[in-house]
Amino acid sequence: MSCALVTGASRGLGRAIAVQLAKDHGLHILVNFASNQQAAEETLAEIQSVGGSGELLQFNVQTKTEVDEALNGWKEKNEDKTISVLVNNAGITRDGLFMWMPEKDWDDVVDVSAKGLFNVTQNAIQQMLRKRSGRIVNIASVSGLKGVPGQVNYSAAKGAIIAASRSLAQEVAKRKITVNVVAPGFITSDMTKDLNEEELKQMIPMNRFGKAEEVAHLVSFLVSDKAAYITGEVININGGIYS
Ligand code: NAP
């Protein structure tokens, strides 16, 4: 049975992506989350409500030992299943001006996105390499392309994801594994709930924030057979913000 592992799938974009992949591709979804089990269970219920299947898989993407323990334990118990799709979606922000940024805010933001990508991908890609097929989609941000003041840490983290994805895409293309990046602009979620939407939407040509489901449709296309020849790409989804 083919599975999709979606990190940070308890809320926001990750939840929408998890539900969409179950709906469009019949993939068994591994719903990863950091600590919010109740929200992760709601994701699972949504997956089931569209006729899909899945299970919760808690781990902190920042910690390699935790990731390996969870994924290796899952693999041992599920020899009939393989992870053919990985969506590295988990991410956090700790915004603030660079001159006053605490070291921890730099480390945490870079660790969840960039080190998280290393930890989860290095484990999950082994089966894809053996099977000679796979899809990896990494969620970056407009911040990683054009930069945003107050987000030097987040821009560094997302820029790292973009550069790493392009390199990895070239390493694994011969094994028919594609690696692409989705770079959203402002999308309605817990991450953006404290932003001033009325003010910010004025700089978006579409004059609105995006929806998590709109990002999920793009990810769903990238994991489909139709996207087999697209790799190493960064696809913006931002309502026309020029980056
Ligand atoms: P969100 O609503 O804050 O949800 C974040 C998700 O990541 C939650 O499921 C959370 O799990 C999980 N998570 C956080 N730290 C984790 C860790 N160390 N290990 C495992 N899971 C972890 O965020 P979102 O808006 O959906 O954002 C999802 C992704 O899109 C992020 O990478 C973000 O940078 C990117 N993005 C978002 C926007 C936007 O406007 N919303 C724009 C561009 C890019 P818990 O529920 O357990 O805490």
Side-chain angles (χ1 to χ4, degrees):
M1 186 181 211
S2 266
C3 303
L5 168 59
V6 183
T7 67
S10 46
R11 295 183 278 125
L13 278 60
R15 176 185 286 183
I17 292 164
V19 174
Q20 202 64 47
L21 296 187
K23 215 186 211 173
D24 292 351
H25 303 292
L27 290 156
H28 179 79
I29 311 293
L30 306 185
V31 178
N32 164 254
F33 63 104
S35 57
N36 200 336
Q37 174 144 356
Q38 196 188 329
E41 275 165 8
E42 285 166 27
T43 300
L44 187 55
E46 265 194 52
I47 289 168
Q48 288 160 346
S49 75
V50 298
S53 71
E55 60 192 283
L56 306 191
L57 199 59
Q58 190 275 333
F59 56 80
N60 180 344
V61 298
Q62 272 175 283
T63 316
K64 182 149 175 44
T65 48
E66 213 176 290
V67 172
D68 285 339
E69 203 176 302
L71 286 177
N72 294 342
W74 179 84
K75 284 182 205 163
E76 273 167 31
K77 284 191 223 125
N78 292 279
E79 284 178 356
D80 57 326
K81 298 191 181 88
T82 49
I83 298 173
S84 54
V85 173
L86 167 63
V87 184
N88 284 303
N89 164 79
I92 58 167
T93 48
R94 295 286 181 270
D95 295 353
L97 286 181
F98 180 72
M99 61 188 289
W100 293 306
M101 185 174 287
E103 186 182 356
K104 187 168 169 26
D105 286 0
W106 174 278
D107 288 347
D108 284 349
V109 169
V110 172
D111 270 9
V112 174
S113 281
K115 186 75 192 307
L117 181 145
F118 171 80
N119 291 339
V120 181
T121 308
Q122 204 182 49
N123 189 303
I125 205 169
Q126 308 297 337
Q127 278 187 336
M128 296 183 193
L129 290 167
R130 279 197 298 278
K131 296 252 167 197
R132 293 181 171 268
S133 77
R135 291 279 188 272
I136 300 173
V137 180
N138 298 322
I139 308 297
S141 165
V142 66
S143 296
L145 288 158
K146 72 175 275 296
V148 169
Q151 290 199 318
V152 175
N153 49 357
Y154 187 69
S155 301
K158 296 304 192 181
I161 284 187
I162 291 167
S165 301
R166 286 188 169 130
S167 289
L168 182 60
Q170 293 173 60
E171 281 189 19
V172 298
K174 280 203 179 84
R175 302 274 181 128
K176 297 195 180 74
I177 301 168
T178 67
V179 185
N180 288 293
V181 176
V182 167
F186 293 100
I187 310 294
T188 304
S189 79
D190 288 348
M191 187 176 273
T192 51
K193 71 178 186 315
D194 296 327
L195 301 180
N196 186 340
E197 187 168 343
E198 281 311 302
E199 193 183 298
L200 287 167
K201 75 180 190 187
Q202 288 168 28
M203 64 180 219
I204 306 170
M206 292 256 179
N207 202 37
R208 66 170 176 89
F209 279 16
K211 298 176 193 149
E213 293 71 25
E214 292 173 318
V215 178
H217 284 299
L218 172 55
V219 174
S220 177
F221 170 69
L222 287 171
V223 313
S224 74
D225 290 343
K226 291 173 191 158
Y229 202 53
I230 302 173
T231 197
E233 284 297 335
V234 181
I235 305 182
N236 292 296
I237 175 160
N238 59 27
I241 298 174
Y242 187 67
S243 58

